[in-house]
PDB file of all heavy atoms in Angstrom:
ATOM      1  N   TYR A 214       0.783  -7.274   3.531  1.00  0.00           N
ATOM      2  CA  TYR A 214       1.314  -6.152   2.760  1.00  0.00           C
ATOM      3  C   TYR A 214       1.562  -6.572   1.317  1.00  0.00           C
ATOM      4  O   TYR A 214       2.224  -7.575   1.065  1.00  0.00           O
ATOM      5  CB  TYR A 214       2.610  -5.688   3.430  1.00  0.00           C
ATOM      6  CG  TYR A 214       3.301  -4.469   2.868  1.00  0.00           C
ATOM      7  CD1 TYR A 214       2.673  -3.580   2.016  1.00  0.00           C
ATOM      8  CD2 TYR A 214       4.614  -4.207   3.217  1.00  0.00           C
ATOM      9  CE1 TYR A 214       3.336  -2.457   1.538  1.00  0.00           C
ATOM     10  CE2 TYR A 214       5.285  -3.096   2.752  1.00  0.00           C
ATOM     11  CZ  TYR A 214       4.639  -2.228   1.901  1.00  0.00           C
ATOM     12  OH  TYR A 214       5.296  -1.123   1.424  1.00  0.00           O
ATOM     13  N   SER A 215       1.024  -5.809   0.372  1.00  0.00           N
ATOM     14  CA  SER A 215       1.208  -6.075  -1.056  1.00  0.00           C
ATOM     15  C   SER A 215       1.450  -4.775  -1.806  1.00  0.00           C
ATOM     16  O   SER A 215       0.951  -3.715  -1.413  1.00  0.00           O
ATOM     17  CB  SER A 215      -0.052  -6.721  -1.660  1.00  0.00           C
ATOM     18  OG  SER A 215      -0.323  -7.957  -1.071  1.00  0.00           O
ATOM     19  N   LEU A 216       2.199  -4.882  -2.909  1.00  0.00           N
ATOM     20  CA  LEU A 216       2.390  -3.764  -3.833  1.00  0.00           C
ATOM     21  C   LEU A 216       1.957  -4.210  -5.220  1.00  0.00           C
ATOM     22  O   LEU A 216       2.283  -5.316  -5.655  1.00  0.00           O
ATOM     23  CB  LEU A 216       3.868  -3.341  -3.885  1.00  0.00           C
ATOM     24  CG  LEU A 216       4.486  -2.830  -2.596  1.00  0.00           C
ATOM     25  CD1 LEU A 216       5.988  -2.604  -2.783  1.00  0.00           C
ATOM     26  CD2 LEU A 216       3.805  -1.545  -2.141  1.00  0.00           C
ATOM     27  N   PHE A 217       1.235  -3.335  -5.921  1.00  0.00           N
ATOM     28  CA  PHE A 217       0.785  -3.582  -7.285  1.00  0.00           C
ATOM     29  C   PHE A 217       1.240  -2.397  -8.134  1.00  0.00           C
ATOM     30  O   PHE A 217       1.093  -1.254  -7.718  1.00  0.00           O
ATOM     31  CB  PHE A 217      -0.754  -3.675  -7.342  1.00  0.00           C
ATOM     32  CG  PHE A 217      -1.317  -4.749  -6.442  1.00  0.00           C
ATOM     33  CD1 PHE A 217      -1.606  -4.471  -5.118  1.00  0.00           C
ATOM     34  CD2 PHE A 217      -1.553  -6.019  -6.928  1.00  0.00           C
ATOM     35  CE1 PHE A 217      -2.138  -5.442  -4.275  1.00  0.00           C
ATOM     36  CE2 PHE A 217      -2.077  -7.004  -6.099  1.00  0.00           C
ATOM     37  CZ  PHE A 217      -2.374  -6.715  -4.772  1.00  0.00           C
ATOM     38  N   MET A 218       1.767  -2.673  -9.355  1.00  0.00           N
ATOM     39  CA  MET A 218       2.309  -1.587 -10.162  1.00  0.00           C
ATOM     40  C   MET A 218       1.719  -1.582 -11.572  1.00  0.00           C
ATOM     41  O   MET A 218       1.602  -2.621 -12.207  1.00  0.00           O
ATOM     42  CB  MET A 218       3.831  -1.698 -10.261  1.00  0.00           C
ATOM     43  CG  MET A 218       4.449  -0.533 -10.974  1.00  0.00           C
ATOM     44  SD  MET A 218       6.271  -0.374 -10.873  1.00  0.00           S
ATOM     45  CE  MET A 218       6.875  -1.977 -10.619  1.00  0.00           C
ATOM     46  N   ARG A 219       1.381  -0.361 -12.022  1.00  0.00           N
ATOM     47  CA  ARG A 219       0.970  -0.161 -13.409  1.00  0.00           C
ATOM     48  C   ARG A 219       2.211  -0.051 -14.289  1.00  0.00           C
ATOM     49  O   ARG A 219       3.319   0.152 -13.804  1.00  0.00           O
ATOM     50  CB  ARG A 219       0.181   1.148 -13.565  1.00  0.00           C
ATOM     51  CG  ARG A 219      -1.228   1.085 -13.119  1.00  0.00           C
ATOM     52  CD  ARG A 219      -2.075   2.275 -13.500  1.00  0.00           C
ATOM     53  NE  ARG A 219      -1.396   3.546 -13.718  1.00  0.00           N
ATOM     54  CZ  ARG A 219      -2.009   4.729 -13.750  1.00  0.00           C
ATOM     55  NH1 ARG A 219      -3.323   4.784 -13.571  1.00  0.00           N
ATOM     56  NH2 ARG A 219      -1.340   5.832 -13.951  1.00  0.00           N
ATOM     57  N   GLU A 220       2.006  -0.109 -15.604  1.00  0.00           N
ATOM     58  CA  GLU A 220       3.103  -0.001 -16.566  1.00  0.00           C
ATOM     59  C   GLU A 220       3.868   1.308 -16.452  1.00  0.00           C
ATOM     60  O   GLU A 220       5.062   1.365 -16.744  1.00  0.00           O
ATOM     61  CB  GLU A 220       2.579  -0.128 -17.993  1.00  0.00           C
ATOM     62  CG  GLU A 220       2.118  -1.507 -18.369  1.00  0.00           C
ATOM     63  CD  GLU A 220       1.584  -1.563 -19.786  1.00  0.00           C
ATOM     64  OE1 GLU A 220       1.557  -0.520 -20.489  1.00  0.00           O
ATOM     65  OE2 GLU A 220       1.192  -2.661 -20.198  1.00  0.00           O
ATOM     66  N   ASP A 221       3.193   2.377 -16.031  1.00  0.00           N
ATOM     67  CA  ASP A 221       3.848   3.689 -15.939  1.00  0.00           C
ATOM     68  C   ASP A 221       4.545   3.912 -14.598  1.00  0.00           C
ATOM     69  O   ASP A 221       5.088   4.984 -14.347  1.00  0.00           O
ATOM     70  CB  ASP A 221       2.847   4.814 -16.202  1.00  0.00           C
ATOM     71  CG  ASP A 221       1.764   4.924 -15.134  1.00  0.00           C
ATOM     72  OD1 ASP A 221       1.708   4.082 -14.208  1.00  0.00           O
ATOM     73  OD2 ASP A 221       0.958   5.867 -15.227  1.00  0.00           O
ATOM     74  N   GLY A 222       4.524   2.917 -13.717  1.00  0.00           N
ATOM     75  CA  GLY A 222       5.221   3.015 -12.444  1.00  0.00           C
ATOM     76  C   GLY A 222       4.363   3.439 -11.272  1.00  0.00           C
ATOM     77  O   GLY A 222       4.864   3.507 -10.144  1.00  0.00           O
ATOM     78  N   LEU A 223       3.082   3.721 -11.500  1.00  0.00           N
ATOM     79  CA  LEU A 223       2.217   4.047 -10.369  1.00  0.00           C
ATOM     80  C   LEU A 223       1.999   2.776  -9.556  1.00  0.00           C
ATOM     81  O   LEU A 223       1.630   1.735 -10.101  1.00  0.00           O
ATOM     82  CB  LEU A 223       0.880   4.614 -10.835  1.00  0.00           C
ATOM     83  CG  LEU A 223      -0.045   5.095  -9.710  1.00  0.00           C
ATOM     84  CD1 LEU A 223       0.574   6.298  -8.994  1.00  0.00           C
ATOM     85  CD2 LEU A 223      -1.404   5.465 -10.266  1.00  0.00           C
ATOM     86  N   VAL A 224       2.261   2.863  -8.253  1.00  0.00           N
ATOM     87  CA  VAL A 224       2.165   1.712  -7.358  1.00  0.00           C
ATOM     88  C   VAL A 224       1.012   1.921  -6.396  1.00  0.00           C
ATOM     89  O   VAL A 224       0.879   2.981  -5.779  1.00  0.00           O
ATOM     90  CB  VAL A 224       3.478   1.528  -6.555  1.00  0.00           C
ATOM     91  CG1 VAL A 224       3.333   0.435  -5.504  1.00  0.00           C
ATOM     92  CG2 VAL A 224       4.636   1.242  -7.484  1.00  0.00           C
ATOM     93  N   PHE A 225       0.177   0.882  -6.281  1.00  0.00           N
ATOM     94  CA  PHE A 225      -0.845   0.836  -5.235  1.00  0.00           C
ATOM     95  C   PHE A 225      -0.346  -0.138  -4.185  1.00  0.00           C
ATOM     96  O   PHE A 225      -0.013  -1.286  -4.494  1.00  0.00           O
ATOM     97  CB  PHE A 225      -2.185   0.355  -5.789  1.00  0.00           C
ATOM     98  CG  PHE A 225      -3.176   0.012  -4.707  1.00  0.00           C
ATOM     99  CD1 PHE A 225      -3.789   1.012  -3.971  1.00  0.00           C
ATOM    100  CD2 PHE A 225      -3.459  -1.312  -4.403  1.00  0.00           C
ATOM    101  CE1 PHE A 225      -4.675   0.701  -2.945  1.00  0.00           C
ATOM    102  CE2 PHE A 225      -4.350  -1.632  -3.390  1.00  0.00           C
ATOM    103  CZ  PHE A 225      -4.956  -0.624  -2.663  1.00  0.00           C
ATOM    104  N   GLY A 226      -0.256   0.327  -2.952  1.00  0.00           N
ATOM    105  CA  GLY A 226       0.144  -0.527  -1.847  1.00  0.00           C
ATOM    106  C   GLY A 226      -1.027  -0.773  -0.916  1.00  0.00           C
ATOM    107  O   GLY A 226      -1.917   0.074  -0.779  1.00  0.00           O
ATOM    108  N   TYR A 227      -1.022  -1.936  -0.301  1.00  0.00           N
ATOM    109  CA  TYR A 227      -2.076  -2.305   0.647  1.00  0.00           C
ATOM    110  C   TYR A 227      -1.433  -3.031   1.815  1.00  0.00           C
ATOM    111  O   TYR A 227      -0.547  -3.865   1.633  1.00  0.00           O
ATOM    112  CB  TYR A 227      -3.106  -3.229  -0.019  1.00  0.00           C
ATOM    113  CG  TYR A 227      -4.115  -3.771   0.968  1.00  0.00           C
ATOM    114  CD1 TYR A 227      -5.249  -3.050   1.272  1.00  0.00           C
ATOM    115  CD2 TYR A 227      -3.900  -4.980   1.610  1.00  0.00           C
ATOM    116  CE1 TYR A 227      -6.169  -3.530   2.203  1.00  0.00           C
ATOM    117  CE2 TYR A 227      -4.811  -5.466   2.540  1.00  0.00           C
ATOM    118  CZ  TYR A 227      -5.938  -4.733   2.830  1.00  0.00           C
ATOM    119  OH  TYR A 227      -6.842  -5.201   3.754  1.00  0.00           O
ATOM    120  N   PHE A 228      -1.860  -2.705   3.023  1.00  0.00           N
ATOM    121  CA  PHE A 228      -1.494  -3.492   4.189  1.00  0.00           C
ATOM    122  C   PHE A 228      -2.564  -3.333   5.256  1.00  0.00           C
ATOM    123  O   PHE A 228      -3.434  -2.465   5.174  1.00  0.00           O
ATOM    124  CB  PHE A 228      -0.094  -3.129   4.720  1.00  0.00           C
ATOM    125  CG  PHE A 228       0.038  -1.764   5.342  1.00  0.00           C
ATOM    126  CD1 PHE A 228      -0.015  -1.604   6.717  1.00  0.00           C
ATOM    127  CD2 PHE A 228       0.262  -0.644   4.558  1.00  0.00           C
ATOM    128  CE1 PHE A 228       0.129  -0.349   7.298  1.00  0.00           C
ATOM    129  CE2 PHE A 228       0.424   0.615   5.128  1.00  0.00           C
ATOM    130  CZ  PHE A 228       0.359   0.758   6.501  1.00  0.00           C
ATOM    131  N   GLU A 229      -2.499  -4.211   6.234  1.00  0.00           N
ATOM    132  CA  GLU A 229      -3.407  -4.155   7.373  1.00  0.00           C
ATOM    133  C   GLU A 229      -2.563  -3.910   8.612  1.00  0.00           C
ATOM    134  O   GLU A 229      -1.439  -4.427   8.720  1.00  0.00           O
ATOM    135  CB  GLU A 229      -4.189  -5.458   7.482  1.00  0.00           C
ATOM    136  CG  GLU A 229      -5.076  -5.679   6.273  1.00  0.00           C
ATOM    137  CD  GLU A 229      -5.642  -7.086   6.189  1.00  0.00           C
ATOM    138  OE1 GLU A 229      -5.261  -7.965   7.000  1.00  0.00           O
ATOM    139  OE2 GLU A 229      -6.466  -7.318   5.283  1.00  0.00           O
ATOM    140  N   THR A 230      -3.088  -3.116   9.525  1.00  0.00           N
ATOM    141  CA  THR A 230      -2.330  -2.730  10.708  1.00  0.00           C
ATOM    142  C   THR A 230      -3.276  -2.568  11.898  1.00  0.00           C
ATOM    143  O   THR A 230      -4.445  -2.214  11.705  1.00  0.00           O
ATOM    144  CB  THR A 230      -1.530  -1.432  10.430  1.00  0.00           C
ATOM    145  OG1 THR A 230      -0.612  -1.195  11.486  1.00  0.00           O
ATOM    146  CG2 THR A 230      -2.418  -0.237  10.204  1.00  0.00           C
ATOM    147  N   PRO A 231      -2.814  -2.820  13.096  1.00  0.00           N
ATOM    148  CA  PRO A 231      -3.701  -2.745  14.256  1.00  0.00           C
ATOM    149  C   PRO A 231      -4.283  -1.360  14.521  1.00  0.00           C
ATOM    150  O   PRO A 231      -5.425  -1.244  14.961  1.00  0.00           O
ATOM    151  CB  PRO A 231      -2.810  -3.168  15.429  1.00  0.00           C
ATOM    152  CG  PRO A 231      -1.700  -3.937  14.821  1.00  0.00           C
ATOM    153  CD  PRO A 231      -1.498  -3.361  13.453  1.00  0.00           C
ATOM    154  N   GLU A 232      -3.528  -0.301  14.251  1.00  0.00           N
ATOM    155  CA  GLU A 232      -3.967   1.025  14.677  1.00  0.00           C
ATOM    156  C   GLU A 232      -4.320   1.949  13.511  1.00  0.00           C
ATOM    157  O   GLU A 232      -5.473   2.261  13.281  1.00  0.00           O
ATOM    158  CB  GLU A 232      -2.872   1.654  15.537  1.00  0.00           C
ATOM    159  CG  GLU A 232      -3.332   2.878  16.298  1.00  0.00           C
ATOM    160  CD  GLU A 232      -2.247   3.396  17.224  1.00  0.00           C
ATOM    161  OE1 GLU A 232      -1.455   2.595  17.738  1.00  0.00           O
ATOM    162  OE2 GLU A 232      -2.197   4.621  17.418  1.00  0.00           O
ATOM    163  N   SER A 233      -3.306   2.432  12.791  1.00  0.00           N
ATOM    164  CA  SER A 233      -3.542   3.397  11.718  1.00  0.00           C
ATOM    165  C   SER A 233      -2.340   3.431  10.775  1.00  0.00           C
ATOM    166  O   SER A 233      -1.249   2.968  11.126  1.00  0.00           O
ATOM    167  CB  SER A 233      -3.758   4.810  12.278  1.00  0.00           C
ATOM    168  OG  SER A 233      -2.554   5.318  12.827  1.00  0.00           O
ATOM    169  N   TYR A 234      -2.544   4.007   9.600  1.00  0.00           N
ATOM    170  CA  TYR A 234      -1.454   4.226   8.637  1.00  0.00           C
ATOM    171  C   TYR A 234      -0.331   5.005   9.304  1.00  0.00           C
ATOM    172  O   TYR A 234       0.834   4.617   9.241  1.00  0.00           O
ATOM    173  CB  TYR A 234      -2.001   4.986   7.425  1.00  0.00           C
ATOM    174  CG  TYR A 234      -0.958   5.552   6.491  1.00  0.00           C
ATOM    175  CD1 TYR A 234      -0.327   4.736   5.561  1.00  0.00           C
ATOM    176  CD2 TYR A 234      -0.630   6.904   6.516  1.00  0.00           C
ATOM    177  CE1 TYR A 234       0.619   5.243   4.689  1.00  0.00           C
ATOM    178  CE2 TYR A 234       0.313   7.425   5.644  1.00  0.00           C
ATOM    179  CZ  TYR A 234       0.930   6.594   4.726  1.00  0.00           C
ATOM    180  OH  TYR A 234       1.862   7.108   3.864  1.00  0.00           O
ATOM    181  N   GLN A 235      -0.662   6.103   9.962  1.00  0.00           N
ATOM    182  CA  GLN A 235       0.360   6.966  10.552  1.00  0.00           C
ATOM    183  C   GLN A 235       1.131   6.254  11.655  1.00  0.00           C
ATOM    184  O   GLN A 235       2.347   6.381  11.747  1.00  0.00           O
ATOM    185  CB  GLN A 235      -0.250   8.268  11.073  1.00  0.00           C
ATOM    186  CG  GLN A 235       0.792   9.328  11.364  1.00  0.00           C
ATOM    187  CD  GLN A 235       1.628   9.693  10.140  1.00  0.00           C
ATOM    188  OE1 GLN A 235       1.083  10.043   9.100  1.00  0.00           O
ATOM    189  NE2 GLN A 235       2.934   9.597  10.252  1.00  0.00           N
ATOM    190  N   ALA A 236       0.433   5.482  12.482  1.00  0.00           N
ATOM    191  CA  ALA A 236       1.116   4.749  13.559  1.00  0.00           C
ATOM    192  C   ALA A 236       2.079   3.716  12.969  1.00  0.00           C
ATOM    193  O   ALA A 236       3.217   3.573  13.456  1.00  0.00           O
ATOM    194  CB  ALA A 236       0.102   4.075  14.466  1.00  0.00           C
ATOM    195  N   ALA A 237       1.660   3.004  11.931  1.00  0.00           N
ATOM    196  CA  ALA A 237       2.534   2.007  11.296  1.00  0.00           C
ATOM    197  C   ALA A 237       3.719   2.694  10.619  1.00  0.00           C
ATOM    198  O   ALA A 237       4.854   2.214  10.701  1.00  0.00           O
ATOM    199  CB  ALA A 237       1.742   1.185  10.284  1.00  0.00           C
TER     200      ALA A 237
END
């Protein structure tokens, strides 16, 4: 799991999970 942020506060998050985004 990682978070990356632009100067204006927009955050891109990334993670890996066994099933799905919704399940996690």
